[in-house]
Amino acid sequence: MNNKQVEDLIYQYHWRKKELDRLHSILWGTRAHTKSIGVAQYGVEATLPKPNTNLKSYAEMDDMDAREKRLYNRWKEYKEKVQGIELLDYFLEDEYQLIILDCMMEGMSYRSIADHLSMNRNKVRDMKEDMLCQLCQKCHFLNDLKLEKNVG
């Protein structure tokens, strides 16, 4: 994966994350990141296995119509890409690079990142290029992400 592909993937994070939440609510009828505030389980109920609601069984997949299957496949693809991008911060050590990565994930432009860091745009661009080179060298798992269907 080259620098441009990694950069595009990072900039696509913001809208992919929103789309992931939207698809999750369509497929499962709930928001993806809501915490349950219900009653805690005690006794035997607490020890019983809980269903994994993020994966569909073969019977559920057979019962889905074409649109639901397409949405489910897109949800799986986006989830993989979003999780891959969220792991990138483990490979960076420089604080400025971490901030630039976070700003890029939010979709901020060079100008707004430079204003945020009180730096020149050229300095931000150089730091971003160094960061992308570092990520390309360290993050071999990014090569496994499917990039053929990039929308952007």
Side-chain angles (χ1 to χ4, degrees), residues 91-105:
F91 297 96
L92 298 174
E93 296 171 7
D94 183 37
E95 195 68 29
Y96 281 116
Q97 289 180 344
L98 288 169
I99 293 170
I100 291 172
L101 175 66
D102 288 338
C103 291
M104 288 173 66
M105 288 169 66

Side-chain angles (χ1 to χ4, degrees), residues 10-141:
I10 292 170
Y11 272 118
Q12 293 169 1
Y13 171 85
H14 187 68
W15 68 263
R16 282 187 197 276
K17 184 78 169 162
K18 283 199 239 179
E19 180 66 6
L20 195 61
D21 289 342
R22 186 186 76 85
L23 291 173
H24 192 279
S25 67
I26 289 171
L27 292 170
W28 288 281
T30 60
R31 296 216 17 104
H33 301 294
T34 56
K35 300 278 185 194
S36 175
I37 310 175
V39 177
Q41 293 181 346
Y42 296 101
V44 176
E45 290 85 15
T47 62
L48 295 175
K50 311 298 184 282
N52 185 351
T53 58
N54 289 335
L55 299 176
K56 298 271 187 186
S57 67
Y58 290 117
E60 288 176 313
M61 287 294 286
D62 290 340
D63 291 342
M64 293 170 71
D65 62 4
R67 178 180 177 266
E68 287 177 317
K69 286 180 184 178
R70 190 178 70 247
L71 292 177
Y72 180 68
N73 289 333
R74 188 181 326 144
W75 177 84
K76 284 193 316 187
E77 178 187 343
Y78 285 8
K79 184 173 176 88
E80 180 181 328
K81 289 180 180 180
V82 164
Q83 288 175 338
I85 293 302
E86 288 173 346
L87 291 175
L88 292 180
D89 65 336
Y90 293 111
F91 297 96
L92 298 174
E93 296 171 7
D94 183 37
E95 195 68 29
Y96 281 116
Q97 289 180 344
L98 288 169
I99 293 170
I100 291 172
L101 175 66
D102 288 338
C103 291
M104 288 173 66
M105 288 169 66
E106 293 174 16
M108 291 173 67
S109 66
Y110 278 133
R111 182 175 298 215
S112 57
I113 295 171
D115 288 343
H116 177 68
L117 295 175
S118 300
M119 288 184 176
N120 185 343
R121 279 186 299 174
N122 293 329
K123 177 71 174 166
V124 171
R125 187 186 68 236
D126 293 341
M127 291 176 74
K128 182 202 69 146
E129 290 300 323
D130 290 342
M131 176 192 71
L132 291 174
C133 287
Q134 211 175 10
L135 291 174
C136 285
Q137 291 172 4
K138 291 182 180 179
C139 301
H140 300 291
F141 69 89

